Amino acid sequence: MARSDSFFIRATLDCDNTNLYQQTAIDLGAYVDALGKSVLRIHNIAVTFSDSTGRTSEVTSAGSAPFNGAAAQFQLLTQSQNDIVLPSNRSMISSGRIVATGNGGVPSGVWEAFDNLPQLWTNGYLVAVDQIFLGGSASTAFDGNVYCSVTMECTVETMTQAAAMALALSQQ
């Protein structure tokens, strides 16, 4: 397979703080063309959860003692979804979540070790669809909207037209 130099694709989603699912499309049309035998390989994904300025999302002080818990999660998918799906869903590329605790202000503890955040594959993840979707949600225990930003290290590769089309169809 011919391979390009790596480059980065970045996207940000406003997850809100309403427990409702939010989603945005990421256009890959400049990189993926299954008929033209061009596919995208995602090598690494780095994820940041923050407020709208890139700072730490704060946990609300309202709630039950001794501390409050807040959670936010994301998923990167090859198909549009209406809500969070399980990692076993065939459209899942990557997912992750954080849980933060505190009693108002900057969280006193944040955990992410129980999910796939960040994502690093040995051989990368091939994508043959011209659009992927960044979805997520955040709990009401955050003081404001939570933003999920992803940075993906990618390369463009060529496949046979039949292989590229088969991969594209399997990801739709």
Side-chain angles (χ1 to χ4, degrees), residues 89-107:
N89 185 297
R90 72 183 184 119
S91 67
M92 181 71 70
I93 297 171
S94 181
S95 68
R97 71 188 76 210
I98 61 167
V99 174
T101 59
N103 194 14
V106 174

Side-chain angles (χ1 to χ4, degrees), residues 30-152:
Y31 315 106
V32 174
D33 180 6
L35 290 174
K37 309 175 195 175
S38 179
V39 297
L40 184 78
R41 185 178 299 269
I42 303 172
H43 297 276
N44 302 301
I45 297 175
V47 180
T48 301
F49 287 100
S50 69
D51 68 9
S52 64
T53 66
R55 295 182 180 274
T56 300
S57 296
E58 295 189 356
V59 177
T60 184
S61 58
S64 57
F67 57 82
N68 300 316
Q73 59 192 75
F74 85 98
Q75 57 189 16
L76 193 62
L77 306 147
T78 61
Q79 298 174 20
S80 178
Q81 300 294 330
N82 294 320
D83 204 347
I84 299 294
V85 297
L86 292 171
S88 58
N89 185 297
R90 72 183 184 119
S91 67
M92 181 71 70
I93 297 171
S94 181
S95 68
R97 71 188 76 210
I98 61 167
V99 174
T101 59
N103 194 14
V106 174
S108 57
V110 177
W111 296 268
E112 52 78 18
F114 58 90
D115 211 328
N116 302 335
L117 177 78
Q119 187 65 63
L120 171 65
W121 297 283
T122 300
N123 294 317
Y125 192 98
L126 285 176
V127 176
V129 292
D130 60 357
Q131 198 174 56
I132 59 176
F133 300 89
L134 176 59
S137 65
S139 70
T140 58
F142 286 105
D143 273 346
N145 289 7
V146 175
Y147 290 76
C148 175
S149 298
V150 296
T151 302
M152 299 175 283

Side-chain angles (χ1 to χ4, degrees), residues 18-34:
T18 60
N19 283 324
L20 298 176
Y21 184 72
Q22 309 296 324
Q23 180 177 276
T24 189
I26 302 170
D27 182 17
L28 301 179
Y31 315 106
V32 174
D33 180 6

Side-chain angles (χ1 to χ4, degrees), residues 1-5 36-43 123-128 155-167:
M1 280 188 196
R3 188 183 261 197
S4 68
D5 289 335
K37 309 175 195 175
S38 179
V39 297
L40 184 78
R41 185 178 299 269
I42 303 172
H43 297 276
N123 294 317
Y125 192 98
L126 285 176
V127 176
T155 55
V156 173
E157 301 181 13
T158 57
M159 300 178 85
T160 66
Q161 184 177 8
M165 283 305 296
L167 180 60

